[in-house]
């Protein structure tokens, strides 16, 4: 069983212990994004009223909870980085599909390109002020390292 947990400006951390007890066969696919880029995307859409501290705290709570689920249930967890999906959508989607026991279909790439390519070529990170970036880095730095993000 696979479930999608929407992430946006109204992030809440689900009780993964309860979900796992109800759906013990569930595999959680954890899609993570650099927290500064995540905030830039939310800010570009006018979400969160530009509150970098709230965004960073929400990013930290959610990703820490999802990663801890992966530590507790490694056979029921797959980490996927948003940046990998954007850089190599076909290969990254293949990993996700294999995790789910599904096959590749060429029309999937069109959907991935449409959804994840919306901001391609747009420098949304430019709207993040230096003080916002520093605040997000201070809050998220340690957890971000677990996903290969260097916020220094």
């Amino acid at each position: 069983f696979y479930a999608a947990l929407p992430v946006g400006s109204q992030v809440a951390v689900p009780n993964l212990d309860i979900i796992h007890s109800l759906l013990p066969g569930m595999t959680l696919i954890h899609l993570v994004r650099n927290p500064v880029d995540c905030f830039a995307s939310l800010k570009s859409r006018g979400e969160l009223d530009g509150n970098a501290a709230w965004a960073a705290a929400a990013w930290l709570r959610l990703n820490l909870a999802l990663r801890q689920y992966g530590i507790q249930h490694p056979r029921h967890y797959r980490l996927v980085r948003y940046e990998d999906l954007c850089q190599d959508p076909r290969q990254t989607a293949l990993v996700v599909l294999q995790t789910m026991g599904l096959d590749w279909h060429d029309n999937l790439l069109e959907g991935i390109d449409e959804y994840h390519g919306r901001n391609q070529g747009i420098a949304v990170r430019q709207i993040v002020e230096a003080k916002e970036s520093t605040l997000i880095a201070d809050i998220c730095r340690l957890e971000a390292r677990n996903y290969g993000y260097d916020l220094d």
Side-chain angles (χ1 to χ4, degrees):
F1 179 80
Y2 301 89
L5 302 172
V7 178
S9 60
Q10 303 301 319
V11 176
V13 178
N15 188 323
L16 296 169
D17 291 331
I18 290 175
I19 293 171
H20 184 78
S21 69
L22 294 172
L23 305 167
M26 176 188 83
T27 296
L28 188 144
I29 299 173
H30 177 186
L31 180 65
V32 66
R33 186 176 188 184
N34 177 301
V36 178
D37 292 336
C38 191
F39 174 68
S41 180
L42 292 169
K43 188 175 180 181
S44 75
R45 295 192 309 265
E47 297 185 41
L48 304 177
D49 296 325
N51 189 330
W54 191 96
W59 185 95
L60 178 61
R61 282 191 311 271
L62 179 63
N63 286 289
L64 177 60
L66 296 176
R67 186 173 61 80
Q68 287 176 336
Y69 178 87
I71 291 168
Q72 294 170 349
H73 308 283
R75 291 183 26 234
H76 297 276
Y77 174 86
R78 170 71 71 174
L79 175 66
V80 177
R81 288 174 17 123
Y82 177 84
E83 295 78 7
D84 297 335
L85 182 60
C86 291
Q87 183 177 2
D88 192 350
R90 182 182 174 100
Q91 182 57 41
T92 307
L94 279 170
V95 169
V96 171
L97 290 170
Q98 288 171 351
T99 299
M100 298 171 64
L102 299 173
D103 296 321
W104 175 263
H105 297 281
D106 288 335
N107 63 341
L108 294 173
L109 196 53
E110 294 171 18
I112 293 168
D113 286 344
E114 186 280 325
Y115 185 78
H116 292 286
R118 290 181 292 182
N119 292 333
Q120 199 166 34
I122 300 171
V124 294
R125 198 166 188 176
Q126 289 180 350
I127 66 171
V128 178
E129 299 173 25
K131 65 182 180 182
E132 293 171 325
S133 183
T134 299
L135 178 62
I136 293 167
D138 288 346
I139 294 170
C140 299
R141 180 176 286 109
L142 293 177
E143 184 62 21
R145 287 181 185 153
N146 291 299
Y147 314 105
Y149 301 126
D150 183 6
L151 303 182
D152 292 322

